[in-house]
Amino acid sequence: MSSPGQISDHANFEIEADELNEADSTLGDDISQATESIRSSLHQGVVENGRQYHKYKDGSYILPEDDMEQERLDLQHEMFLKSFGRKLYLAPIDCELHEVLDLGTGTGMWAIQFADEHPRSSVLGIDLSPMQPTSVPPNCKFEVDDFDTPWAFQKQFDFIHGRMLLTASADFPALFRRAYDSLKPGGWFEMQDLYMPLLSDDGTLEGTAFGEWNEKYMEACAVLKRDPSWTAKYKEWITGAGFTNVKEQIFKWPINPWPKDKYLKEMGLWNMVNMLDGLDGFTVRLWTVALGMAVEDIQAFLVSVRKDIRDTKIHSYWPIHVVYGQKPK
């Protein structure tokens, strides 16, 4: 198989398994003090079941924002780079990128790296959580904002990027129309996201605790009306918003090092760590809120799920969908 840099070689294909694997106060008159007070309040977050969640619009996003989650997000960022041949985006952009917007920027790694690589660009990352670092390139800044409400930017962008936003929007078609309206003619929009439910091409996920987790996760998201399978409709919705030159690429990230291929085996090892580190955050708050389950029952069930995630006889994977399109000039 060709080198990892040739990204198309690891998309849209069936993975061969390695059979050898087994195992209340007023604000006062000083606006700067008031602003700092708000920022401090946002940074405090909401602590629940030992995990910290963003305070701004609490509940609109199901994942935590604590150190553990931030480390996982940075690992996941590296996984995207590994999949894309060290590229931050796949759209065939051949114009100057002066204004760039990163939706749901998370720890800000994508925005920071993009700003470093494109010093003439002005990069804005927005998120519900102010978890981003303060030491950033001079052409990069972050704001606490909700991209799932009407936008009020005073400028238009050359490139808008979003990554791992599944369950973060209640109306993706509306989000994509906002992106279209906020782009300059000729500008590009790209979404990089995980499709769920997680898949297996050979049936080895069926009848397992991990398979049950997969089904329950979908059930819980449906209760909250945040269906993670919407990712599969991105191409249709982006086209419907008016974008042209719309393309989709699909990648498979193994859940653990079950593949025979050396590159995919390494990706599986990375994703196993990603999945194990994220499982508690993916599950506990979502299932307590949506399914009414007790935390103790959830944690007991997750013991078996973690065991399955490590089991190389279970050939499951994350389907990663990348869809990009251009606003007509």
Side-chain angles (χ1 to χ4, degrees):
M1 182 169 284
S2 54
S3 66
Q6 294 178 288
I7 56 178
S8 61
D9 287 352
H10 294 112
N12 300 316
F13 66 99
E14 183 173 347
I15 306 174
E16 182 182 358
D18 186 349
E19 301 300 333
L20 298 179
N21 280 324
E22 290 299 333
D24 175 48
S25 62
T26 60
L27 294 175
D29 297 326
D30 190 332
I31 188 66
S32 63
Q33 290 181 4
T35 302
E36 192 57 39
S37 175
I38 293 171
R39 287 175 178 164
S40 176
S41 174
L42 288 172
H43 277 284
Q44 290 174 4
V46 176
V47 177
E48 184 179 299
N49 299 315
R51 302 300 299 268
Q52 179 173 304
Y53 299 83
H54 65 83
K55 191 170 186 178
Y56 178 61
K57 296 195 174 182
D58 176 37
S60 58
Y61 183 61
I62 63 175
L63 297 184
E65 64 168 16
D66 49 27
D67 290 346
M68 181 183 300
E69 175 65 4
Q70 291 181 40
E71 290 177 5
R72 187 192 70 81
L73 290 175
D74 287 347
L75 167 66
Q76 192 168 260
H77 172 74
E78 186 62 28
M79 292 176 66
F80 273 97
L81 291 179
K82 190 174 180 66
S83 283
F84 298 171
R86 310 309 300 176
K87 297 178 181 179
L88 290 168
Y89 58 89
L90 300 182
I93 302 174
D94 58 0
C95 59
E96 285 286 336
L97 298 175
H98 300 288
E99 300 290 344
V100 177
L101 176 63
D102 186 27
L103 305 173
T105 194
T107 63
M109 288 295 289
W110 187 93
I112 291 169
Q113 188 168 338
F114 190 98
D116 276 334
E117 294 182 5
H118 301 80
R120 294 184 180 181
S121 295
S122 176
V123 184
L124 171 62
I126 62 172
D127 202 283
L128 294 173
S129 170
M131 68 170 77
Q132 304 79 32
T134 55
S135 179
V136 299
N139 57 326
C140 178
K141 68 176 182 178
F142 299 107
E143 295 179 358
V144 174
D145 200 355
D146 182 6
F147 61 71
D148 214 32
T149 59
W151 295 3
F153 299 113
Q154 300 302 307
K155 57 188 174 185
Q156 287 192 306
F157 300 92
D158 300 289
F159 182 35
I160 299 178
H161 164 267
R163 186 172 71 186
M164 299 301 276
L165 301 185
L166 74 164
T167 75
S169 176
D171 189 343
F172 278 104
L175 174 62
F176 297 163
R177 290 193 295 272
R178 289 187 203 107
Y180 183 91
D181 293 342
S182 297
L183 279 168
K184 300 174 186 176
W188 288 85
F189 177 49
E190 178 165 316
M191 289 288 291
Q192 307 167 359
D193 225 327
L194 165 66
Y195 168 85
M196 290 191 71
L198 306 182
L199 301 177
S200 172
D201 294 334
D202 61 2
T204 52
L205 187 59
E206 297 176 11
T208 66
F210 188 32
E212 184 179 351
W213 177 90
N214 201 22
E215 294 172 0
K216 276 188 168 300
Y217 185 92
M218 298 298 295
E219 177 187 350
C221 287
V223 172
L224 300 183
K225 295 179 169 42
R226 298 294 178 100
D227 189 339
S229 71
W230 288 342
T231 307
K233 299 181 180 180
Y234 280 1
K235 184 178 181 181
E236 172 190 346
W237 290 340
I238 287 175
T239 301
F243 289 94
T244 59
N245 300 319
V246 178
K247 300 288 187 243
E248 179 180 52
Q249 294 189 45
I250 301 175
F251 300 81
K252 294 181 179 181
W253 288 2
I255 292 293
N256 63 46
W258 61 262
K260 185 175 182 179
D261 175 77
K262 183 179 179 181
Y263 164 76
L264 290 169
K265 184 183 291 291
E266 183 178 7
M267 281 297 296
L269 183 60
W270 284 46
N271 202 24
M272 182 178 71
V273 175
N274 184 32
M275 190 76 199
L276 290 171
D277 286 354
L279 187 62
D280 182 270
F282 298 157
T283 312
V284 177
R285 191 183 219 199
L286 176 61
W287 288 16
T288 55
V289 171
L291 304 181
M293 294 181 63
V295 175
E296 296 78 8
D297 293 339
I298 296 171
Q299 295 290 10
F301 175 65
L302 293 184
V303 172
S304 298
V305 177
R306 291 188 179 93
K307 182 178 179 181
D308 282 354
I309 289 172
R310 295 185 177 94
D311 188 349
T312 55
K313 294 194 293 289
I314 300 175
H315 305 152
S316 59
Y317 60 89
W318 284 22
I320 301 294
H321 289 231
V322 181
V323 185
Y324 52 80
Q326 185 178 31
K327 183 173 181 177
K329 297 181 182 181

